[in-house]
Amino acid sequence: MSSGRLSRRSLLGAAGAAVAATALPVIPALSPLLAEAAAADPQTNLENLANMRFGMFNHFNLGTFTNQEWAEPNQDPALFAPTAVDCAQWADAAAAAKMSYGILTTKHHDGFALWPSAHGTQNVANSSYKQDVVKAYCDAFRAKGLKVGLYYSIWDRTFGVEAWESRHKVSGLEITDAIQPSDMTFVLGQITELLTNYGTIDMFVTDGYGWQMGQQAISYQRVRELVKSLQPDIVMIDHGGLSVPFLGDAIYFEEPLGITAPAGNTYAATQGQTISNGWFWHPTTPTEGLMSKAAILSHLADLEPKYTSFILNCPPNRNGKLDTNIVNRLAEVGAAWSPDTSRPPLPAQMPRAEHPVTPVSAYATGFHTGEGPLNAIDGLSDKGYETCWSTWGLSPALPHSITIDLGGVWSNVSTLEYLPKQWNRSESADGDITSYTISTSTDGVNFTQVATGTWAVGRATKVAEWPARNVGFVRLQANAGTGGYANMGGVHIGGRTAKPALLSTTLPGDSTVYRLVARHSGKVADVRGGGTANNTSVIQWPWLNKSNQQWTFVKTGDGYYKIKGVASGKLMEVGGLSRVDGGVVGIWSDANAPQQHWAVTPTGDGYYFLIDRYSGLCLAVDEGSTTDGATIEQQPYAALTRQQWQIIAV
């Protein structure tokens, strides 16, 4: 793995500025690319998953040929050079083991795709093996009566679908990229290919998502909406390190990470383990001892009453076949195992926000240092690493509330899923919200109580429901929590039986001209000296009704705004891809980039705070200065008057 990676900005030689102004592809509209099919029954689909019981995972990709579990990015696709991929042999071995499905790694973290994708060049069409492996796999497994699942890594280190959170996870890798609109076009385009060109797909497994970038960087709403519109009965599973259902429909327990199905589990789930020493084939695979027949049978006996399907990874070799020792081991297992058809049906699964809406902002009445409210909506979670909104250490600790901005008013919002903290941290293992009140609003000012109740202690996802209504803001008040405080590791908000539709936005957008007035000083956001050059700073100045003090708000289409200077025609942004407190705000040509996107959230008393999409920090005046010419920058939002703005039509 490389020791570091330059940002796109630095590659362009534009430190402190936006990426080049070349237009990037526009993010596809939120409406599905295909007409939505009949609504699926989640309970039935999850029961079908649990009844599969035993399946084969096939990690076969560039790593097979580089002797790496994570192949390096940007390698020559010609390295992928099997002599004759024999998916029928894989399917025969799966059937001999009495497996009922297979899951293929269509693309791993390095970004090489096993199908001839129209998105990017890192795929089989440019390899030494020109055949569509995904098609061969689907055809072969269906021919043996087996179901088909596809694994897809959203994290793509060749195309650059990655974000700054990666530096927390990968030793030595420093990433300063932001997820760009073109990245969403790429991801959604590849998913569309996989789910339209290969017939019915029973499971869609994502990876490198919740633990690398989170659901703000790569919109969970848009990925899920697309997947379900293309394959309504598909079961979505995420390799996110969680042991409760939250990311996707069913749980994935990754056994090599020490995550296994607990006793008494009643969630539809899968558990993955590899038969050999690694997920991918290595030169030692043909001669190593493999997972024993007894161990495989023990796993099946243990997991079956837990409604957890055992996914056994069997890596094909560089010829495109399973080694003889793997084939023989699977045959031994099949001769000794049969499913327990007397197992009771899968218990009723908890209601979910089947149709989520990705929030754009959040604020709270209080939070522990470094554990602010945006952590509750970022979707980052993994074994040993997560982000939380926490009121630990506050006095009084409770009650406290978090208010979540959905980026506009949506219809049919009825469900909130609350994810408690999953992994113990140094301060305490407490913080589960046990008593709550939920209120909603369409304007961020007037709130109506819609639900109240209690939740049991524990890591399991908690759900609250209310009659479907139009909602722009959701406020959850934690009335009580274990240890006297509250933690929120994640939250999903949306509709359960009906898909929300965007009805209106906070500001009309596009044409109305505004001035931005700092609450503490009464002065306005002004482009220094009336400049129009890229990287000209934004300062505060007395209102003179000049065009360099006037702004329009242009909707991005997914809940954010571009703040466009009337005089310059350029956009307000945080320079240098900065995520630090004090990052300077300036203007730059429209690069369709997240550092130029802002969430606009009312405070409830006539003012707004503006959160930068890239950094999660808010527009503010340096040190609360009231001096003419004081720098406008970004800061962590703390409800300070220097961070709040009137947005007044000129």
Side-chain angles (χ1 to χ4, degrees), residues 60 160 171 248 336 359 410 517 556 558 570 627:
F60 180 62
S171 177
W410 295 79
V517 184
T556 64
D558 55 357
K570 295 183 176 179
T627 303

Side-chain angles (χ1 to χ4, degrees), residues 275-293:
I275 197 170
S276 57
N277 186 26
W279 292 102
F280 284 93
W281 185 89
H282 299 284
T284 58
T285 302
T287 56
E288 67 178 270
L290 306 179
M291 190 176 186
S292 70
K293 178 183 80 170

Side-chain angles (χ1 to χ4, degrees), residues 48-382:
N48 290 340
L49 174 72
N51 288 340
M52 290 181 188
R53 290 180 169 81
F54 191 23
M56 178 184 284
F57 213 165
N58 296 112
H59 275 66
F60 180 62
N61 213 282
L62 205 59
T64 307
F65 299 88
T66 63
N67 195 28
Q68 295 171 303
E69 289 291 277
W70 285 9
E72 294 282 352
N74 299 299
Q75 296 198 70
D76 185 352
L79 290 171
F80 185 79
T83 54
V85 177
D86 191 354
C87 294
Q89 185 235 16
W90 312 355
D92 286 341
K98 296 193 178 84
M99 292 174 171
S100 55
Y101 64 93
I103 299 175
L104 175 67
T105 54
T106 66
K107 187 184 77 167
H108 205 245
H109 307 323
D110 59 277
F112 181 84
L114 290 182
W115 75 100
S117 176
H119 300 272
T121 59
Q122 196 79 354
N123 60 65
V124 291
N126 299 301
S127 75
S128 300
Y129 183 81
K130 306 296 184 184
Q131 306 303 310
D132 187 336
V133 179
V134 177
K135 183 179 188 303
Y137 188 89
C138 294
D139 290 347
F141 273 69
R142 289 196 191 103
K144 296 298 293 186
L146 303 170
K147 301 291 186 181
V148 174
L150 301 179
Y151 164 107
Y152 175 80
S153 175
I154 291 176
W155 183 34
D156 186 316
R157 293 184 293 146
T158 291
F159 188 79
V161 184
E162 50 191 342
W164 77 287
E165 285 81 8
S166 300
R167 65 186 177 184
H168 294 285
K169 303 303 300 176
V170 183
S171 177
L173 183 63
E174 178 74 14
I175 291 174
T176 56
D177 272 353
I179 297 299
Q180 304 287 337
S182 59
D183 295 337
M184 284 301 303
T185 301
F186 177 83
V187 168
L188 298 179
Q190 287 201 325
I191 291 174
T192 299
E193 291 173 337
L194 288 172
L195 298 184
T196 56
N197 296 338
Y198 302 104
T200 299
I201 305 300
D202 299 281
M203 288 161 284
F204 187 68
V205 180
T206 54
D207 196 0
Y209 179 27
W211 57 280
Q212 279 289 339
M213 295 168 284
Q215 298 159 49
Q216 300 300 104
I218 296 287
S219 169
Y220 176 61
Q221 174 185 5
R222 301 194 55 207
V223 170
R224 184 175 177 85
E225 179 183 277
L226 177 63
V227 169
K228 293 291 186 174
S229 71
L230 298 175
Q231 300 266 355
D233 289 312
I234 204 166
V235 174
M236 294 182 69
I237 302 168
D238 188 82
H239 286 196
L242 295 179
S243 57
V244 297
F246 188 70
L247 292 175
D249 303 312
I251 307 170
Y252 174 72
F253 299 107
E254 189 161 355
E255 187 176 334
L257 294 182
I259 307 170
T260 57
N265 177 67
T266 57
Y267 295 122
T270 58
Q271 183 167 311
Q273 180 58 282
T274 182
I275 197 170
S276 57
N277 186 26
W279 292 102
F280 284 93
W281 185 89
H282 299 284
T284 58
T285 302
T287 56
E288 67 178 270
L290 306 179
M291 190 176 186
S292 70
K293 178 183 80 170
I296 296 171
L297 293 173
S298 175
H299 274 68
L300 290 165
D302 173 66
L303 295 176
E304 194 168 39
K306 298 175 180 177
Y307 300 96
T308 299
S309 179
F310 184 40
I311 307 176
L312 184 61
N313 183 67
C314 300
N317 61 32
R318 292 174 182 169
N319 293 323
K321 302 188 73 171
L322 295 178
D323 290 320
T324 300
N325 58 342
I326 293 177
V327 172
N328 291 343
R329 181 56 40 82
L330 294 176
E332 295 169 1
V333 170
W337 177 77
S338 292
D340 177 10
T341 57
S342 67
R343 185 185 68 181
L346 178 72
Q349 301 294 281
M350 69 178 188
R352 303 290 304 277
E354 299 288 345
H355 306 281
V357 176
T358 300
V360 300
S361 182
Y363 63 97
T365 56
F367 55 90
H368 182 255
T369 302
E371 297 183 304
L374 288 176
N375 290 345
I377 64 172
D378 63 12
L380 285 168
S381 55
D382 187 36

